[in-house]
Amino acid sequence: MKAIVVHQYGGPEVLKFEEYRDPVAGPGEVLIRVAASSVNPIDYKRRAGKTQDFYPIKFPGLIGVDVAGTVLTLGPGVEGFRVGEQVFAMAADAYAELAVVKAANLATVRKGLDVVEAAALPLVTTTGNILISEGTAIKTGQTVLVSGAAGAWDVRQSSPRNSAERS
């Protein structure tokens, strides 16, 4: 398969589009054909070597945690998914044509959600959930207003505002 392969830590120039071994789904895993992956801060930090103490890359290796695509094969013991179904997940090694995902981390792309757009959801929604559930004292039944979750936009200037402009 083709993949974005990293052979050493560094800047964007270390990302190489080349052949890489095909992954195989093991017990409890699903092999998907990748439709899309997203780029997250953890991806560039791994590529740059900023996480090598706790999340290293075994070279040559892949990066990418968000993935969406179509189920190709089900590993032993996997239930609840079928070949040909569109799915998305937080996984590992997502910058490739194929990716293996733990079935427990996989979700079906529901009608009305584009499979490519679904690839942008896993890490950011997990982060949001953790921030709300662990970073606050919110309890079941309470109402929460999330202001600016899509970022700040200054309509007077018709351009996004960054944190420096807001200070």
Side-chain angles (χ1 to χ4, degrees), residues 2-166:
K2 290 286 193 179
I4 304 294
V5 183
V6 180
H7 293 272
Q8 65 187 47
Y9 293 117
E13 70 280 356
V14 303
L15 300 172
K16 305 294 181 194
F17 185 64
E18 59 190 41
E19 286 295 325
Y20 195 78
R21 67 183 178 280
D22 287 2
V24 177
E29 297 177 330
V30 175
L31 177 67
I32 67 170
R33 174 162 306 285
V34 176
S37 181
S38 62
V39 178
N40 292 290
I42 192 67
D43 301 322
Y44 82 77
K45 289 177 183 176
R46 284 192 75 210
R47 182 210 68 226
K50 295 180 178 190
T51 65
Q52 59 186 307
D53 291 341
F54 62 92
Y55 195 18
I57 299 172
K58 183 178 177 189
F59 299 117
L62 307 180
I63 59 174
V65 296
D66 286 344
V67 67
T70 305
V71 174
L72 290 179
T73 62
L74 305 173
V78 174
E79 296 178 5
F81 297 98
R82 65 188 188 327
V83 172
E85 184 173 24
Q86 290 186 326
V87 293
F88 68 109
M90 210 163 94
D93 305 340
Y95 290 2
E97 291 180 308
L98 304 172
V100 168
V101 180
K102 292 180 183 177
N105 296 345
L106 206 56
T108 301
V109 175
R110 300 293 181 199
K111 185 177 179 178
L113 177 61
D114 180 81
V115 69
V116 171
E117 292 172 355
L121 297 174
L123 185 60
V124 295
T125 55
T126 300
T127 301
N129 180 57
I130 290 170
L131 289 171
I132 290 199
S133 62
E134 296 180 14
T136 68
I138 296 169
K139 296 185 179 31
T140 301
Q142 290 182 305
T143 301
V144 176
L145 170 64
V146 179
S147 176
W153 190 266
D154 187 334
V155 293
R156 295 168 296 170
Q157 296 178 19
S158 295
S159 64
R161 296 184 300 164
N162 66 32
S163 58
E165 292 172 326
R166 283 178 268 177

